[in-house]
Amino acid sequence: MRGSGREGSNRGKMSGGARSGRSGGSGGQRGSRKDGGDRRDVPSRRDGQRPGDARKTDTRKTDARKTAPRTMSDRELVRSYAEPPKLGRRKGEWIDIRLPEALAGAAPQKLLQMTPIAPKLANKLIQAKGVLAQGTTLRLKLFPAEAIDFPPDWMELNVLYEDDFTLVVNKPSGIEVHPSEHGQRRTLAHAVASYYEMTNQQVRIRHIHRIDKETTGPVLYAKNEFAHYEYDKAMREKSIERVYLALAEGVLEKDRGTINKPIGQDRHHSTKRRVSETGDPAVTHYEVVERFVDHTLVRLRLETGRTHQIRVHLSAIGHPLAGDGMYGGKRGLIARQALHGERLIWRHPWTGESLSARAPLPDDFAEALGKLRG
């Protein structure tokens, strides 16, 4: 959290002896002027003290007050640290964070302000007694044990990346990320539940994005509430990048381009989408990787994340995906739409470090390319 503590300064005024107003009394008063003008009282002085010495002494005391440093408040001290504290060692449900010596003893509410934890979650942590400050150590209960909210269905799972906050899984074709109807089993959510159970992780299933049933590639999961909040925010801010490889029918003439066409639901088919002026904004960027006689391998980056976006956009420009029967593709070369999530790029929810996961090309996609290359 960026910020700097501002030190206020005490403004002192030099003060001399107290002044009295004009006096109409008679003689016997010190400091009377011989010319009969206004008479002013002057401060009394000890023997040997010259006039003005008292004023000089007061000035020195005032100057000392002006230059004395003011102690920073907890809020100012916390804000003077630009970078969030580094994560320490996780101990079960808790994680220890080492604080600078200057922050020892600061109020926990103020210390949370220097972390990436949003105020809403910070308040929730405090209310749940999930914040402990002990000297230079801040302890946070970021990993409370949770009931797994999907019945586990074991299947082979290709884990591309994992840490205390994040899990990235390579989804195979033929299974959905999440159940689409009540009672549905053997989705990726059920497989992840099984993985958590086998690895003794009491974690809820929190997928951050979806990909189509027949599409392969990485899917991002948050392993605690803090990471879920940060990743949802990153998705809204479009800072999580998804890179796809697609095999399109026909030969794209331009080496690169952008497809900017709104997408809405097809009125005649509930699961189908189409380009529509009244649809939601949708932007896809593409670049040609390799051209064949009647197909093109393209790499695509999504600026938005509409349902079936790549499939709809490529079909709209006359180049449907190979194998994508719903949007005009032929199934001779591959038995599903030839779309693969090649890479996922995101930032660590606490440190902000750039991370990425790359998914290997699935066998059926690689075989299709092999046939085209002869």
Side-chain angles (χ1 to χ4, degrees), residues 98-365:
R98 191 73 175 171
L99 300 172
E101 292 286 345
L103 293 180
Q109 293 88 338
K110 298 296 186 292
L111 292 174
L112 285 173
Q113 294 176 8
M114 68 182 294
T115 72
I117 300 174
K120 179 180 178 181
L121 293 183
N123 291 335
K124 190 173 179 180
L125 265 179
I126 292 171
Q127 291 172 5
K129 298 182 179 180
V131 183
L132 296 174
Q134 301 172 342
T136 57
T137 300
L138 177 66
R139 304 193 71 205
L140 300 176
K141 193 176 182 180
L142 292 182
F143 310 98
E146 301 173 313
I148 297 178
D149 46 349
F150 284 86
D153 286 334
W154 184 89
M155 61 183 76
E156 189 173 348
L157 206 61
N158 180 204
V159 175
L160 300 174
Y161 175 90
E162 185 175 16
D163 62 24
D164 286 328
F165 298 85
T166 310
L167 176 71
V168 180
V169 174
N170 184 19
K171 189 188 87 65
S173 64
I175 68 170
E176 296 182 64
V177 171
H178 194 272
S180 56
E181 58 185 30
H182 182 71
Q184 182 179 351
R185 296 290 295 266
R186 301 197 63 78
T187 68
L188 193 62
H190 296 90
V192 170
S194 176
Y195 173 76
Y196 285 154
E197 184 180 63
M198 290 189 299
T199 53
N200 297 316
Q201 300 186 68
Q202 294 176 284
V203 179
R204 283 180 51 205
I205 309 301
R206 299 179 176 93
H207 67 273
I208 303 303
H209 63 103
R210 299 190 189 196
I211 55 179
D212 296 340
K213 180 178 179 179
E214 299 301 333
T215 301
T216 53
V219 176
L220 177 65
Y221 288 85
K223 293 173 67 175
N224 63 6
E225 189 174 8
F226 162 69
H228 194 184
Y229 182 93
E230 292 299 315
Y231 286 148
D232 274 352
K233 179 183 175 185
M235 286 293 289
R236 291 193 301 271
E237 294 174 350
K238 303 175 183 178
S239 59
I240 295 178
E241 187 175 2
R242 291 164 289 167
V243 183
Y244 290 84
L245 280 177
L247 187 57
E249 294 185 351
V251 179
L252 277 74
E253 296 181 359
K254 294 182 179 179
D255 288 341
R256 57 181 49 85
T258 296
I259 307 170
N260 187 349
K261 296 178 182 293
I263 294 176
Q265 189 170 5
D266 192 307
R267 291 177 295 176
H268 307 291
H269 198 305
S270 61
T271 61
K272 191 177 180 180
R273 300 295 185 270
R274 65 185 181 89
V275 169
S276 170
E277 292 182 0
T278 59
D280 295 320
V283 180
T284 303
H285 305 285
Y286 71 86
E287 60 178 343
V288 171
V289 177
E290 189 174 356
R291 290 185 176 92
F292 305 100
V293 175
D294 53 2
H295 289 81
T296 306
L297 180 64
V298 291
R299 180 172 286 115
L300 308 105
R301 288 175 169 81
L302 298 180
E303 189 172 310
T304 54
R306 308 302 173 203
T307 301
H308 299 178
Q309 179 171 318
I310 291 174
R311 300 165 66 188
V312 173
H313 271 173
L314 287 179
S315 179
I317 64 171
H319 297 281
L321 294 178
D324 191 1
M326 178 177 283
Y327 292 103
K330 300 180 181 65
R331 292 188 180 271
L333 190 62
I334 188 171
R336 63 173 179 94
Q337 70 252 19
L339 183 60
H340 171 65
E342 179 186 39
R343 197 175 177 207
L344 182 71
I345 305 165
W346 74 99
R347 290 194 174 275
H348 191 280
W350 186 280
T351 67
E353 177 189 1
S354 180
L355 299 170
S356 68
R358 186 181 295 272
L361 202 63
D363 291 342
D364 59 349
F365 202 124

Side-chain angles (χ1 to χ4, degrees), residues 7-13 62-70:
E7 293 190 9
S9 60
N10 297 321
R11 295 183 178 179
K13 295 182 179 179
T62 305
D63 288 343
R65 287 195 301 268
K66 286 180 67 177
T67 58
R70 182 175 67 81

Side-chain angles (χ1 to χ4, degrees), residues 29-41:
Q29 199 166 358
R30 294 182 182 180
S32 58
R33 295 177 60 180
K34 292 182 180 179
D35 59 5
D38 293 344
R39 292 171 298 179
R40 299 183 180 179
D41 292 337

